Structure formats: structure tokens, C-alpha cells
Amino acid sequence: MNAIVAVDQNWAIGKNGDQLVYLKEDLKRFRTLTSGHAVILGRKTLATFPGGKPLKNRENLILSRNPDFQPQGCQVFRDIPALLNAAPSDSFVIGGGSVYQALLDACDTVYVTRIDAAFPADTWFPNLDDHPDWEIAETSQPLEQDGLVYRYVTYRRKETGHVPG
């Protein structure tokens, strides 16, 4: 399983239920990497999408304990074991914070957009640079939009005998 996330210098990912910044090229990259794959997200993340509608060209798997939450075009799972049982191995975890925390152990690759800035935030992604199970596999050249410099960094789980999920 994969995760994809945009983080600032402090591994912050969001504030007040939204991401910190929208980078045009990063959104295109997100669409390219995730199209044709299942995406795993929480109810609050789905609410941030235009019209609160699921992403097109992707199977949208929603993790929510709310029994009344049944958005059209999505599969809703009440617990992690049921979700993991149904999720294809090439799925992408796309947020929010609690979903990343719950499913990081099931991932073997994380696609990170590292933004060279610090933002006010209330939600963070685990710092993979400090995590003994993760290593950088690839780093892009710096990119820039509206004065913000960022890089694409791919992290892979170290070969430690860990079995994801």
C-alpha cells in the first residue's frame, strides 16, 4: 500500500480541516499517481473535495465510524481490518491525519511533497526522516510556485522483514 501527502518543514499537513497550501503541479502529480487506483481517506477529507464528491477515476474507500455516513460513489468501512481486507495492495492513503496514523504501518511507499516553509497547523504526518523503518529512495530537483520551493521525496520502508498490514 502507498501513502501520498504534502508536508511543510515541520511535517505539518493541515489546519482547520484543510491542507496547508495548494500547489498546481503537485495536484497534477497527485492525480497522475492515484488515477486508476483505490484511494483511502476519512470522512472529513472527503468533505474538502469539490462538492464533497468522491475523486473520479478512483475507487474511493472511506474510513468512518458514523453508521449514517453513506456517500454516493464510495465504499464506507467502519473499521481498519475490514478496510484492509477490501483495499487493493496498490491503494493510496490520502488523508487525513488520523487515517495516515492508522494506516502507515500498512504502507511500504510514501510519496511526500516536502514544502520548504513552515505554516500554522493543527495536523501532522509522522516525520519519516526520524523513523527507523523508512528511508529516502528518490528526491526530485527543487520546484517553485508563488515563491514556495518544494521537492518530491519518495520514502520506502526499509527491508527489515516487516510485513505491511
Side-chain angles (χ1 to χ4, degrees):
M1 191 174 304
N2 308 289
I4 187 166
V5 64
V7 303
D8 77 354
Q9 292 172 337
N10 301 312
W11 291 84
I13 62 171
K15 182 168 178 159
N16 297 328
D18 202 1
Q19 55 186 85
L20 300 172
V21 64
Y22 289 87
L23 301 168
K24 185 177 177 184
E25 291 304 315
D26 187 45
L27 293 171
K28 287 181 187 176
R29 179 176 182 258
F30 173 89
R31 186 171 36 254
T32 298
L33 287 172
T34 62
S35 285
H37 298 279
V39 291
I40 300 170
L41 59 150
R43 175 187 52 79
K44 292 177 188 174
T45 298
L46 179 64
T48 67
F49 295 169
K53 297 192 184 296
L55 295 175
K56 294 179 182 174
N57 303 318
R58 284 154 276 210
E59 183 180 2
N60 289 246
L61 309 178
I62 314 296
L63 189 58
S64 174
R65 289 183 293 272
N66 180 345
D68 298 325
F69 186 68
Q70 292 293 334
Q72 189 171 2
C74 300
Q75 290 183 58
V76 180
F77 297 88
R78 304 294 172 224
D79 59 61
I80 291 168
L83 176 106
L84 289 173
N85 190 49
S89 62
D90 63 350
S91 298
F92 281 84
V93 180
I94 64 170
S98 63
V99 176
Y100 284 130
Q101 294 282 349
L103 294 175
L104 184 60
D105 279 348
C107 296
D108 55 17
T109 303
V110 182
Y111 298 92
V112 180
T113 302
R114 297 284 310 263
I115 304 165
D116 294 338
F119 295 92
D122 58 18
T123 309
W124 288 265
F125 192 86
N127 182 338
L128 297 181
D129 291 331
D130 290 345
H131 201 294
D133 292 343
W134 293 92
E135 61 190 353
I136 294 174
E138 187 178 342
T139 303
S140 76
Q141 293 298 313
L143 303 161
E144 185 270 334
Q145 177 187 314
D146 302 327
L148 287 175
V149 176
Y150 61 99
R151 289 173 180 75
Y152 299 131
V153 182
T154 302
Y155 289 80
R156 296 217 195 282
R157 186 174 294 282
K158 292 179 182 176
E159 297 296 326
T160 60
H162 173 83
V163 177

